[in-house]
Amino acid sequence: MAEKGKKFLHLPYTVKGMDVSFSGILSNIEKQAPHLISSKQYAPEDLCYSLQETIFAMLVEIKERAMSHCGSQEVLIVGGVGCNLRLQEMMNIMSEERGAKLYATDERFCIDNGAMIAQAGIEMFQNGTTTPWDLVTCTQRYRTDEVEVTWRS
């Protein structure tokens, strides 16, 4: 539906450092949508377009900030949202402006963040960081800024 949207509705844009909050966006659009659609000010497609553009802009902003902090010249998009061609386009524009390279995986690797986790594991292993099997755990809400990055100098 977002591809058919034409009219942009300004929505809450919450980026603090490398954290984003989508709760204000969703609450705002859920509250406004019935009136905006019934009054014909916006079509449902316009609201989807506005939501997509705002959220993707937030994601691109924090990615650019992360690249700046890490001195990275590469972007790897994985996960379910990584299949979205508009997100890939926006990330590519930012990457080109920074002289960086975008790597966007196809749908086979965009079901979850397994490819991203595997890549981090490869980087750690190749640089001598291992974890004994009996100490391996899964943390669903692990923050990427809590990972000790030992493979970069």
Side-chain angles (χ1 to χ4, degrees), residues 30-50:
E30 285 175 345
K31 183 178 177 182
Q32 291 190 75
H35 170 71
L36 294 172
I37 293 169
S38 67
S39 68
K40 304 225 187 281
Q41 292 176 332
Y42 290 86
E45 294 83 359
D46 296 330
L47 299 181
C48 290
Y49 164 74
S50 301

Side-chain angles (χ1 to χ4, degrees), residues 9-149:
L9 173 68
H10 288 278
L11 296 168
Y13 187 100
T14 308
V15 174
K16 293 181 181 177
M18 297 219 334
D19 291 328
V20 296
S21 173
F22 300 130
S23 61
I25 293 173
L26 296 177
S27 299
N28 184 288
I29 205 161
E30 285 175 345
K31 183 178 177 182
Q32 291 190 75
H35 170 71
L36 294 172
I37 293 169
S38 67
S39 68
K40 304 225 187 281
Q41 292 176 332
Y42 290 86
E45 294 83 359
D46 296 330
L47 299 181
C48 290
Y49 164 74
S50 301
L51 187 62
Q52 174 181 273
E53 292 297 301
T54 302
I55 289 173
F56 288 176
M58 293 166 63
L59 294 176
V60 171
E61 179 181 334
I62 63 171
K63 180 57 187 171
E64 185 172 22
R65 185 170 288 118
M67 291 172 72
S68 177
H69 284 298
C70 295
S72 177
Q73 289 299 107
E74 299 175 318
V75 177
L76 173 63
I77 299 178
V78 296
V81 75
C83 295
N84 188 291
L85 297 178
R86 177 61 179 144
L87 177 59
Q88 291 179 18
E89 177 185 24
M90 292 171 76
M91 279 291 183
N92 193 51
I93 291 167
M94 178 274 293
S95 298
E96 286 179 349
E97 288 175 354
R98 294 183 58 82
K101 176 75 175 147
L102 173 69
Y103 300 94
T105 58
D106 66 38
E107 288 184 17
R108 295 174 299 160
F109 304 106
C110 286
I111 303 306
D112 61 29
N113 286 327
M116 179 180 66
I117 294 165
Q119 182 65 39
I122 289 168
E123 297 287 345
M124 293 174 76
F125 180 75
Q126 288 176 341
N127 287 280
T129 301
T130 60
T131 303
W133 186 249
D134 59 330
L135 297 179
V136 173
T137 61
C138 295
T139 305
Q140 183 179 7
R141 302 245 182 238
Y142 202 69
R143 293 177 50 100
T144 55
D145 60 353
E146 293 175 351
V147 175
E148 183 179 359
V149 178

